[in-house]
Amino acid sequence: MESISIPGPESVTSSLPSVSSKMMHDINLADAVMFNPEAYFENSEFKKTQNLAFFIKQAGAISHLNDILNDGNQLLFKLYSYRSCARVIPQSTNMTAEDRKKLYEITHQILEPEISKMRRLCQFHVSTFQSLFDIFNSILPDISNVKSGKRSEDKDDLFVTGEFLRVMARILDLCVVMDAMKNLKSSMNNDFSLYKRCLPVIANTISMEEENKRNFILYQFLANPDIFLTEFKSKLMTVLGSDELMIDISNYCVEQLEKSAYVLHEEKHMYLK
């Protein structure tokens, strides 16, 4: 026994391969597509296969809605911190034509990043409602057929989950806050008006036809108050089953308030709104 050499702890640990790990705090339901119901159930259990496929599709919709919320909150922070630039830019009074042109060129350079922020907000509005429209058309018709009794025997247990209702309540809350914040930021209209006054001076350096189209879209977006909720009511509420979804969201919010099922005051105010 005395002739047997035992390696020390340092030699043992040094011979082990190094292992690196990365913690994933929130995978945002990315693992929902890993489960294939068709490979799990027999052909005789076709109804379970169809129902599980529907809930997997709903999980994908929730994941996409969470991405919309993250992008919207980032834009909301920028919108909240927006300050007018037009007030601090000097006006072109008692200037020569050359000095006025130089002033407008500098003004355009100053306002271009701010106008880009407005365009990103406008693009978010368009992309968000297109995504919501696709989600509604994908999920709501099946649920509406179930509630109206126009269902097949293979789809009799379809419903929206509580998580889907919670995320939709957050989407509606984001629309309300976005509209309120945009209506308060009248300085964006002032900056946009000054930006358009600079364009004729620098018309030789940009494509005015393309610029006028982009500015017209942005003008319509800034000029219409409550454009997020208006778009929600005019487009999304025309989808079959959207009225039933709104009732489910309202009932869910009331239930959460009655149970005090919230932690932060932001969530409580969301349910109240």
Side-chain angles (χ1 to χ4, degrees):
M1 293 294 291
E2 294 178 356
S3 62
I4 298 177
S5 61
I6 301 176
E10 294 181 357
S11 60
V12 173
T13 55
S14 62
S15 62
L16 294 177
S18 60
V19 178
S20 60
S21 61
K22 182 179 179 181
M23 182 179 296
M24 301 181 66
H25 295 282
D26 185 9
I27 60 175
N28 194 19
L29 297 176
D31 57 341
V33 296
M34 297 175 63
F35 179 75
N36 184 9
E38 295 182 359
Y40 184 77
F41 292 106
E42 301 292 339
N43 294 332
S44 59
E45 298 178 296
F46 180 73
K47 181 174 67 174
K48 292 182 179 180
T49 302
Q50 293 296 307
N51 291 351
L52 276 175
F54 172 79
F55 288 115
I56 291 174
K57 178 172 64 175
Q58 192 175 155
I62 293 173
S63 175
H64 189 41
L65 291 174
N66 284 329
D67 292 335
I68 293 176
L69 287 170
N70 292 333
D71 295 339
N73 287 328
Q74 292 296 324
L75 288 173
L76 190 60
F77 296 150
K78 295 180 180 180
L79 183 60
Y80 175 78
S81 61
Y82 189 90
R83 296 296 181 269
S84 176
C85 295
R87 293 184 178 181
V88 299
I89 297 177
Q91 301 300 314
S92 58
T93 57
N94 300 327
M95 289 184 177
T96 63
E98 186 66 25
D99 292 339
R100 185 179 296 108
K101 179 180 179 181
K102 185 176 181 180
L103 175 62
Y104 279 154
E105 289 176 351
I106 297 175
T107 301
H108 179 269
Q109 294 176 5
I110 295 174
L111 292 178
E112 181 65 29
E114 308 304 318
I115 301 301
S116 298
K117 295 178 184 178
M118 301 180 199
R119 296 193 199 280
R120 284 197 294 270
L121 183 62
C122 181
Q123 292 170 358
F124 171 77
H125 164 262
V126 174
S127 62
T128 294
F129 282 96
Q130 182 59 50
S131 298
L132 289 175
F133 187 77
D134 294 340
I135 290 174
F136 276 32
N137 277 320
S138 175
I139 292 178
L140 296 187
D142 288 336
I143 300 173
S144 179
N145 290 338
V146 169
K147 291 187 176 182
S148 62
K150 301 176 182 179
R151 63 176 186 267
S152 64
E153 295 180 356
D154 299 327
K155 296 183 178 181
D156 59 351
D157 298 320
L158 304 184
F159 58 90
V160 287
T161 61
E163 181 63 18
F164 184 84
L165 295 176
R166 188 183 72 85
V167 175
M168 279 304 306
R170 293 182 62 193
I171 289 288
L172 284 170
D173 178 67
L174 178 66
C175 292
V176 172
V177 177
M178 279 282 192
D179 279 335
M181 192 65 66
K182 188 177 78 70
N183 295 340
L184 287 174
K185 296 296 180 177
S186 59
S187 57
M188 292 195 300
N189 293 284
N190 299 332
D191 289 352
F192 184 55
S193 298
L194 181 58
Y195 175 81
K196 289 191 296 182
R197 289 202 298 269
C198 299
L199 293 180
V201 180
I202 61 171
N204 296 329
T205 60
I206 60 175
S207 175
M208 288 303 299
E209 183 179 357
E210 184 66 24
E211 186 70 16
N212 288 333
K213 291 180 180 179
R214 297 172 62 198
N215 288 339
F216 180 72
I217 296 174
L218 182 58
Y219 168 76
Q220 288 184 316
F221 173 74
L222 295 176
N224 292 327
D226 302 329
I227 189 170
F228 281 87
L229 288 180
T230 301
E231 191 88 1
F232 192 96
K233 289 184 286 188
S234 62
K235 288 188 177 181
L236 298 182
M237 293 306 293
T238 60
V239 180
L240 178 65
S242 58
D243 51 346
E244 298 170 351
L245 175 64
M246 295 304 298
I247 295 174
D248 290 340
I249 294 174
S250 300
N251 293 334
Y252 174 81
C253 293
V254 171
E255 182 181 358
Q256 296 301 102
L257 286 171
E258 291 177 348
K259 293 180 178 179
S260 297
Y262 49 82
V263 179
L264 301 177
H265 64 276
E266 289 91 348
E267 189 174 5
K268 178 182 179 182
H269 293 164
M270 178 192 71
Y271 294 138
L272 288 172
K273 285 184 283 188

